[in-house]
């Protein structure tokens, strides 16, 4: 690729932003960072050491000790870790401790794709393309429910929906870096789109932004 391309994708829980970010990263041959894994790793460390999730000092120490290379995405994606991550993510000193790692990722030559809650607003405010993924909570819960049952987990749709709504509320109402679209983000509603259609839509948003940049 001849140009730097930095793509920031944000959105609520189970919106499919991670899948889209990975697909875009593969398509453009760019490194990808799922920033949710950082918060999940902090939560996992507290869960494993039986530390309460509101212990700000312990959560901040765990955040400071994180290295991107030691992540185990399978354990970090286990049920319950996302909700716990949403709790530690509301602690300002945890966010502060994770900022440098993410900012460094953004600086890589060639560009990168990041997905999360604040990548377009805080981590990469100068990104070339910002996409904010939306989808009805019921549809996101249905997708997550199917994923869990496919993995053999004994999930109830009502519980999955309640957890998703709880995370939406917590992630959107916290004082630091709340979940919200950047002013210059393009909104992509995937409520009625399957993953292929969502990928094509995301790709055209990126291509339109690149074409606009070349015209300037
Ligand atoms: O995207 P995810 O489900 O893996 O994220 C888990 C939690 O981490 C999410 O509910 C809130 C938090 N998070 C955040 O606050 N900021 C980010 N950039 C990414 C995730």
């Amino acid at each position: 690729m001849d140009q730097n391309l930095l793509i920031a994708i944000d959105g609520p829980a189970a919106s499919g932003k991670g899948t889209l970010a990975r697909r875009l990263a593969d398509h453009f041959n760019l490194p990808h960072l799922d920033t949710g894994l950082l918060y999940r790793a902090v939560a996992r460390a507290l869960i494993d050491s039986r530390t309460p999730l509101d212990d700000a000092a312990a959560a901040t120490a765990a955040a400071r000790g994180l290295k991107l290379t030691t992540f185990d995405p399978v354990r970090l994606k286990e049920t319950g870790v996302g909700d716990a991550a949403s709790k530690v993510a509301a602690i300002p000193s945890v966010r502060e401790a994770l900022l440098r790692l993410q900012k460094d990722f953004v600086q890589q030559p060639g560009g990168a794709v990041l997905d999360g809650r604040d990548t377009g607003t805080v981590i990469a405010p100068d990104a070339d393309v910002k996409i904010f993924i939306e989808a009805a909570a019921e549809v996101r819960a249905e997708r997550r429910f199917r994923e869990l049952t496919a993995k053999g987990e004994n999930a109830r749709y009502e519980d999955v929906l309640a957890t998703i709504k709880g995370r939406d509320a917590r992630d959107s109402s916290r004082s630091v870096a709340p979940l919200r679209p950047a002013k210059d983000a393009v909104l992509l509603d995937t409520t009625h789109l399957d993953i292929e259609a969502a990928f094509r839509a995301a790709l055209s948003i990126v291509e339109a932004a690149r074409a606009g940049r070349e015209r300037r």
Side-chain angles (χ1 to χ4, degrees):
M1 190 178 318
D2 50 344
Q3 273 182 327
N4 206 64
L5 178 61
L6 184 57
I7 303 174
I9 305 189
D10 291 309
S15 59
K17 61 189 182 312
T19 308
L20 284 178
R22 245 187 327 274
R23 293 273 310 257
L24 287 173
D26 284 350
H27 183 85
F28 291 107
N29 199 19
L30 289 168
H32 165 227
L33 179 62
D34 170 354
T35 62
L37 287 181
L38 303 174
Y39 297 92
R40 284 172 180 265
V42 173
R44 183 87 250 179
L46 297 193
I47 293 167
D48 289 350
S49 61
R50 299 180 190 278
T51 307
L53 295 169
D54 60 0
D55 184 333
T60 307
R64 289 198 180 122
L66 277 192
K67 292 199 178 50
L68 296 182
T69 44
T70 54
F71 282 177
D72 174 358
V74 177
R75 281 200 81 218
L76 297 182
K77 291 282 178 184
E78 278 172 13
T79 309
V81 182
D83 199 49
S86 162
K87 292 179 182 156
V88 297
I91 303 171
S93 53
V94 168
R95 304 200 73 83
E96 174 67 35
L98 297 177
L99 200 61
R100 175 65 21 227
L101 221 55
Q102 297 173 83
K103 291 268 189 193
D104 286 348
F105 197 87
V106 164
Q107 296 302 328
Q108 299 181 72
V113 183
L114 289 92
D115 75 87
R117 302 290 186 293
D118 63 347
T119 68
T121 49
V122 175
I123 307 299
D126 298 328
D128 302 293
V129 191
K130 298 180 189 175
I131 304 177
F132 192 89
I133 312 284
E134 298 177 305
E138 289 71 16
V139 170
R140 288 184 281 129
E142 181 67 38
R143 291 176 188 158
R144 180 55 53 87
F145 172 72
R146 286 211 198 119
E147 254 169 50
L148 293 172
T149 43
K151 280 201 284 183
E153 289 196 29
N154 193 7
R156 282 182 63 232
Y157 169 80
E158 291 72 21
D159 296 340
V160 177
L161 179 60
T163 306
I164 280 187
K165 285 187 171 169
R167 273 174 71 186
D168 285 356
R170 201 183 298 118
D171 293 346
S172 308
S173 65
R174 65 176 175 232
S175 59
V176 183
L179 169 68
R180 65 179 51 133
K183 285 199 182 68
D184 50 350
V186 179
L187 302 186
L188 174 57
D189 190 329
T190 68
T191 304
H192 303 293
L193 303 181
D194 64 17
I195 186 61
E196 273 312 312
F199 174 64
R200 282 197 303 276
L203 198 54
S204 32
I205 293 168
V206 176
E207 295 296 10
R210 293 177 95 198
R213 197 174 62 172
E214 269 157 31
R215 273 198 301 274
R216 281 203 298 270

